[in-house]
Coordinates of all heavy atoms in Angstrom, one line a residue:
Y1 N 123.9 101.6 140.1 CA 122.5 102.2 139.9 C 122.4 103.4 140.8 O 121.9 104.4 140.3 CB 121.5 101.1 140.3 CG 120.1 101.5 140.0 CD1 119.5 101.1 138.8 CD2 119.3 102.4 140.8 CE1 118.1 101.5 138.5 CE2 118.0 102.7 140.5 CZ 117.4 102.3 139.4 OH 116.2 102.7 139.1
A2 N 122.8 103.3 142.0 CA 122.6 104.4 143.0 C 123.5 105.6 142.7 O 123.1 106.7 142.7 CB 122.8 103.9 144.4
I3 N 124.8 105.3 142.4 CA 125.8 106.4 142.2 C 125.9 106.8 140.8 O 125.7 108.0 140.5 CB 127.1 105.9 142.7 CG1 127.1 105.5 144.2 CG2 128.2 107.0 142.5 CD1 128.3 104.9 144.8
Y4 N 126.1 105.9 139.9 CA 126.3 106.3 138.5 C 125.1 106.7 137.7 O 125.1 107.6 136.9 CB 127.0 105.0 137.8 CG 127.4 105.3 136.3 CD1 128.3 106.3 136.0 CD2 126.9 104.5 135.3 CE1 128.7 106.5 134.7 CE2 127.3 104.6 134.0 CZ 128.2 105.6 133.7 OH 128.6 105.8 132.4
S5 N 124.0 106.0 138.0 CA 122.7 106.3 137.2 C 121.9 107.4 137.9 O 121.1 108.1 137.2 CB 121.9 105.1 137.1 OG 122.6 104.1 136.4
I6 N 122.0 107.6 139.2 CA 121.2 108.6 139.9 C 122.0 109.8 140.5 O 121.8 110.9 140.2 CB 120.3 107.9 140.9 CG1 119.3 106.9 140.3 CG2 119.5 108.9 141.8 CD1 118.5 106.1 141.2
Y7 N 122.9 109.4 141.4 CA 123.6 110.5 142.2 C 124.4 111.4 141.3 O 124.3 112.6 141.3 CB 124.4 109.9 143.3 CG 125.2 110.9 144.0 CD1 124.6 111.9 144.9 CD2 126.6 111.0 143.8 CE1 125.4 112.8 145.5 CE2 127.4 112.0 144.4 CZ 126.8 112.9 145.3 OH 127.5 113.8 145.9
L8 N 125.3 110.8 140.5 CA 126.3 111.6 139.8 C 125.6 112.6 138.7 O 125.9 113.8 138.7 CB 127.3 110.8 139.1 CG 128.3 110.1 140.0 CD1 129.3 109.2 139.2 CD2 129.1 111.2 140.8
P9 N 124.7 112.0 137.9 CA 124.1 112.9 136.9 C 123.0 113.9 137.4 O 122.5 114.8 136.7 CB 123.5 112.0 135.9 CG 123.2 110.7 136.6 CD 124.3 110.6 137.7
T10 N 122.5 113.7 138.7 CA 121.4 114.4 139.2 C 121.7 115.3 140.4 O 121.3 116.4 140.5 CB 120.2 113.5 139.5 OG1 119.9 112.7 138.4 CG2 118.9 114.3 139.8
F11 N 122.4 114.7 141.4 CA 122.5 115.3 142.7 C 124.0 115.7 143.0 O 124.2 116.5 144.0 CB 122.0 114.4 143.8 CG 120.6 114.0 143.7 CD1 120.2 112.7 143.3 CD2 119.6 115.0 143.9 CE1 118.9 112.4 143.2 CE2 118.2 114.6 143.8 CZ 117.9 113.3 143.5
S12 N 124.9 115.2 142.3 CA 126.3 115.5 142.7 C 126.8 116.9 142.2 O 126.2 117.5 141.4 CB 127.2 114.4 142.0 OG 127.3 114.7 140.6
P13 N 127.9 117.3 142.7 CA 128.5 118.6 142.3 C 128.8 118.7 140.8 O 128.9 119.8 140.2 CB 129.7 118.8 143.2 CG 129.5 117.9 144.4 CD 128.7 116.7 143.9
I14 N 129.1 117.5 140.2 CA 129.4 117.5 138.8 C 128.2 117.4 137.8 O 128.4 117.2 136.6 CB 130.5 116.4 138.5 CG1 129.8 115.0 138.6 CG2 131.7 116.5 139.4 CD1 130.6 113.9 138.1
S15 N 127.0 117.3 138.4 CA 125.9 117.1 137.6 C 125.7 118.1 136.4 O 125.2 117.8 135.4 CB 124.6 117.1 138.4 OG 124.4 118.3 139.1
S16 N 126.1 119.4 136.7 CA 125.9 120.4 135.7 C 126.9 120.3 134.6 O 126.7 120.9 133.5 CB 126.0 121.8 136.3 OG 127.2 122.0 137.0
I17 N 128.0 119.6 134.8 CA 129.0 119.5 133.8 C 129.3 118.0 133.3 O 130.2 117.7 132.6 CB 130.4 120.1 134.3 CG1 130.9 119.3 135.5 CG2 130.3 121.6 134.5 CD1 132.3 119.7 135.9
A18 N 128.3 117.2 133.7 CA 128.5 115.7 133.4 C 128.6 115.5 131.9 O 129.4 114.5 131.5 CB 127.3 114.9 134.0
Q19 N 128.0 116.2 131.1 CA 128.0 116.0 129.7 C 129.4 116.2 129.1 O 129.7 115.7 128.0 CB 127.0 116.9 129.0 CG 127.2 118.4 129.2 CD 126.1 119.2 128.7 OE1 125.4 118.8 127.8 NE2 125.8 120.4 129.3
Y20 N 130.3 116.9 129.8 CA 131.6 117.2 129.3 C 132.6 116.1 129.7 O 133.8 116.2 129.4 CB 132.1 118.6 129.7 CG 131.1 119.7 129.3 CD1 130.4 120.4 130.3 CD2 130.8 120.0 128.0 CE1 129.5 121.4 130.0 CE2 129.9 121.0 127.7 CZ 129.2 121.6 128.7 OH 128.3 122.6 128.4
I21 N 132.2 115.2 130.6 CA 133.1 114.3 131.2 C 133.0 112.9 130.6 O 131.9 112.3 130.4 CB 132.8 114.2 132.7 CG1 132.8 115.5 133.4 CG2 133.7 113.2 133.4 CD1 132.4 115.5 134.9
P22 N 134.1 112.4 130.1 CA 134.1 111.0 129.5 C 133.6 110.0 130.5 O 133.8 110.1 131.8 CB 135.6 110.7 129.2 CG 136.2 112.1 129.0 CD 135.4 113.0 130.0
Y23 N 132.9 109.0 130.0 CA 132.2 107.9 130.8 C 130.9 108.3 131.4 O 130.2 107.4 131.9 CB 133.2 107.4 131.9 CG 132.7 106.1 132.5 CD1 132.7 104.9 131.8 CD2 132.3 106.0 133.8 CE1 132.3 103.7 132.3 CE2 131.8 104.8 134.4 CZ 131.9 103.7 133.6 OH 131.4 102.5 134.1
M24 N 130.5 109.6 131.3 CA 129.3 110.0 132.0 C 128.0 109.8 131.1 O 126.9 110.0 131.5 CB 129.3 111.4 132.5 CG 130.2 111.6 133.7 SD 129.8 110.5 135.1 CE 128.1 111.0 135.4
W25 N 128.3 109.6 129.8 CA 127.2 109.4 128.8 C 126.8 107.9 129.0 O 127.1 107.0 128.2 CB 127.6 109.7 127.4 CG 127.8 111.2 127.2 CD1 128.7 112.0 127.8 CD2 127.1 112.0 126.2 NE1 128.6 113.2 127.3 CE2 127.6 113.3 126.4 CE3 126.1 111.8 125.3 CZ2 127.2 114.4 125.6 CZ3 125.6 112.8 124.6 CH2 126.2 114.1 124.7

């Protein structure tokens, strides 16, 4: 919940390219 649902798609360095990464949808 903390990392996968909030940090990675919103605050992490990969947030701007998350849509291109498998498993991030």
